[in-house]
Amino acid sequence: MEIALATDFGIYELSPESMDCQMKKLADAGISHVHWAHDWDFEYLYSQWEILQIKELLEKYGLKCKGVHASEGNTRCRVIDGKPRFLNRNRLRDCRKDFTSPYEYNRLSGVELVLNRVDLACMLGAEEIVLHMVLPYEDFEASKDFKDLYWKQAFKSFDEMESYCRAKKVRIAIENMICTPKEYQFEQFDKLFERYSPEYMGICFDSGHSALVCTDCTYEFAQRYQSRLIAIHLDDNNSIDFSLSTDVDGAVQKSDKHMLPFTGVVNWEKICQLIAGSPYKLPLTLEVVVPHNTAEEEMAGLKKAKEVGEKLTQMVLSYRS
């Protein structure tokens, strides 16, 4: 049975040797597809030669690509006073590639970064890229002019990217996030889906993120935007553990454990039912962290992930039939 797994499942290293080792592990565990999640953060641009290198690497191990995780720009984790802080409420002022930037050349650089991942997806035979779009909602609250300009620039960028994505046959899936109140995200998805067609844009439903944001209804994003469900990150979480940090966003971020499905609070029966009634194309994609203290533990974790993915797939198929 075909199952996709995000490539940042364990030790996250970017050397050619490490990537080769990671792909071999996936193939040895019986995983059929990857969700290419390397470089999902930061401003790194793949050269045409690196894109070809990744294509040949997947072919070497008989792996197919279900999707590519794009990057919205610079990392949101900063070290402040010797401690990591997650900046999820405001615009990143030091981001040089930002498709929502008020500065035109930085906005165009952000567009270039996103389309770089579209090129990668097209070369790998994937039909979608997953994109974070973390809303600077405190800046929205402070200034209507800021919010208006933010959306003006975002729409300008998505308008410019549409013809390119359509020509490459790659859609953009905007992911639901963990530190932005759900009401702002509902406004975001409503705006985007009113303006752009399903042939260009949809949602990437992250079950672990949804469980932390929608504590009263862990599948709310999937239910609300079921007709636009084109990509998924399946993983489990428990509730937010505020003892992890005095920083609220930090506590949320550290509570995003990317656990195996059926080990947390997510309602998998309902989520599989929603996936079954959506336009989502199998295989399912798991975005989980696999224990990797030893090689044996890591391989056992990969095989367990495949087993869980197959169980979820059977649940989806039973609803579809």
Side-chain angles (χ1 to χ4, degrees), residues 112-154:
E112 181 182 21
L113 179 63
V114 175
L115 295 184
N116 179 257
R117 301 309 194 259
V118 171
D119 288 340
L120 176 60
C122 181
M123 176 65 80
L124 300 183
E127 295 182 356
E128 72 270 348
I129 61 166
V130 172
L131 182 63
H132 288 181
M133 188 178 175
V134 179
L135 299 175
Y137 66 92
E138 286 192 348
D139 293 328
F140 288 176
E141 293 169 350
S143 170
K144 181 180 182 300
D145 289 342
F146 178 98
K147 183 176 182 180
D148 290 344
L149 180 57
Y150 174 92
W151 279 110
K152 177 184 177 182
Q153 298 299 88

Side-chain angles (χ1 to χ4, degrees), residues 143-272:
S143 170
K144 181 180 182 300
D145 289 342
F146 178 98
K147 183 176 182 180
D148 290 344
L149 180 57
Y150 174 92
W151 279 110
K152 177 184 177 182
Q153 298 299 88
F155 286 149
K156 187 176 182 180
S157 294
F158 285 129
D159 288 353
E160 290 174 3
M161 290 190 280
E162 182 169 7
S163 61
Y164 193 92
C165 290
R166 286 179 177 270
K168 296 280 186 175
K169 295 182 171 57
V170 175
R171 292 186 289 178
I172 296 177
I174 305 296
E175 184 173 352
N176 60 289
M177 301 308 297
I178 54 172
C179 293
T180 306
K182 64 182 182 180
E183 292 77 16
Y184 286 99
Q185 296 192 65
F186 292 159
E187 179 187 22
Q188 170 193 37
F189 286 116
D190 289 347
K191 281 177 178 287
L192 292 172
F193 296 160
E194 180 181 4
R195 187 179 182 97
Y196 302 110
S197 74
E199 290 74 33
Y200 171 46
M201 187 176 291
I203 187 173
C204 171
F205 172 67
D206 188 305
S207 55
H209 289 180
S210 188
L212 296 177
V213 174
C214 305
T215 54
D216 54 336
C217 179
T218 60
Y219 49 83
E220 191 166 1
F221 282 100
Q223 185 174 57
R224 187 180 177 104
Y225 301 107
Q226 183 184 24
S227 66
R228 302 297 287 256
L229 184 58
I230 62 173
I232 51 174
H233 287 167
L234 298 184
D235 60 285
D236 221 325
N237 274 319
N238 293 314
S239 57
I240 300 170
D241 183 357
F242 286 106
S243 68
L244 291 172
S245 175
T246 55
D247 166 31
V248 174
D249 284 358
V252 175
Q253 202 92 33
K254 292 177 182 178
S255 297
D256 188 22
K257 299 293 189 182
H258 290 270
M259 296 152 46
L260 268 180
F262 304 106
T263 62
V265 300
V266 171
N267 185 334
W268 291 106
E269 197 71 40
K270 183 64 176 179
I271 284 177
C272 287

Side-chain angles (χ1 to χ4, degrees), residues 56-125:
E56 293 183 354
L57 177 59
L58 297 188
E59 290 174 346
K60 176 181 178 180
Y61 292 110
L63 295 167
K64 299 177 183 178
C65 186
K66 179 67 177 79
V68 168
H69 203 316
S71 175
E72 68 169 339
N74 211 346
T75 180
R76 291 186 171 273
C77 181
R78 298 288 192 278
V79 176
I80 301 174
D81 297 329
K83 298 179 181 179
R85 293 291 301 273
F86 297 92
L87 309 180
N88 294 300
R89 303 179 180 206
N90 304 95
R91 180 186 292 284
L92 294 179
R93 307 297 176 182
D94 60 349
C95 190
R96 295 167 297 172
K97 295 180 175 65
D98 175 5
F99 64 89
T100 70
S101 175
Y103 304 104
E104 186 64 5
Y105 289 134
N106 298 101
R107 184 193 68 80
L108 289 169
S109 297
V111 168
E112 181 182 21
L113 179 63
V114 175
L115 295 184
N116 179 257
R117 301 309 194 259
V118 171
D119 288 340
L120 176 60
C122 181
M123 176 65 80
L124 300 183

